[in-house]
Amino acid sequence: IIAGGGIGGLAAALGLAQKGFASLVLEKAPELGEIGAGIQLGPNAFHSFDYLGVGDAARGQAVYVEYLRLMDAMTGEEIMHMPLGEAFRKRFGNPYAVVHRGDLHGVLLQACRDSDLIELRVDADVTSYDQDGAAVSAVLADGERIAGRALIGADGLWSAVRRGVVGD
């Protein structure tokens, strides 16, 4: 069971599917989508996307950055810059890029929809969980309990799963 249908939850589902495990993604929103701004993707992100089988699609949504600039916040002057061109790509095996969260989410969502091992469910707000030595049950806002072998909390900043694990 995966609580949360954002980038993290969908990536977790794809990773499990790569290992042959079925998963159920529970998203509290009425539809699967992503809001927010752009995110930066280092070479390690693209290595992960390749493993998940979405590398080419993710690269197709990305905007490639020519160099990073570190600026002084007070004066606005450049402190240093680092080229991110061909030498960088060769050294690290992948590019450095930026992408809109919604575009990346769309790539992961399509891959999940294409997998027979991933079930996606919306309007399913995980508010807590119960566990014993053999299983875990996600408890939804409407009182429904969904049993599984494991629960992954990818339910965002105000995570109900995290609250249950660490009590914060």
Side-chain angles (χ1 to χ4, degrees):
I1 303 167
I2 300 170
I7 290 172
L10 297 181
L14 287 171
L16 288 168
Q18 290 288 345
K19 294 292 185 181
F21 293 101
S23 63
L24 169 62
V25 177
L26 302 172
E27 170 55 45
K28 68 180 174 184
E31 64 184 47
L32 288 162
E34 185 68 68
I35 59 172
I39 55 175
Q40 300 176 39
L41 302 172
N44 57 336
F46 288 102
H47 292 304
S48 296
F49 297 149
D50 288 337
Y51 174 79
L52 296 175
V54 297
D56 290 341
R59 283 181 189 84
Q61 296 296 321
V63 174
Y64 299 96
V65 178
E66 295 300 319
Y67 62 94
L68 290 177
R69 293 173 53 183
L70 179 61
M71 307 294 287
D72 184 292
M74 301 302 288
T75 66
E77 293 181 30
E78 183 178 285
I79 296 171
M80 61 82 64
H81 69 270
M82 178 172 50
L84 301 174
E86 191 57 39
F88 178 91
R89 291 176 189 193
K90 184 176 181 182
R91 178 176 180 192
F92 295 105
N94 265 306
Y96 185 96
V98 294
V99 67
H100 190 278
R101 295 181 71 84
D103 293 339
L104 180 57
H105 184 270
V107 165
L108 296 169
L109 180 57
Q110 186 58 55
C112 286
R113 286 181 171 149
D114 291 343
S115 174
D116 293 337
L117 292 173
I118 301 170
E119 181 181 346
L120 303 168
R121 183 169 162 195
V122 296
D123 286 322
D125 184 9
V126 177
T127 57
S128 64
Y129 66 90
D130 296 316
Q131 66 180 358
D132 60 27
V136 63
S137 292
V139 181
L140 304 186
D142 66 4
E144 181 183 359
R145 295 171 120 46
I146 300 172
R149 292 191 295 174
L151 172 63
I152 296 173
D155 49 339
L157 182 61
W158 306 111
S159 170
V161 175
R162 176 185 161 86
R163 185 173 54 250
V165 172
V166 298
D168 67 349

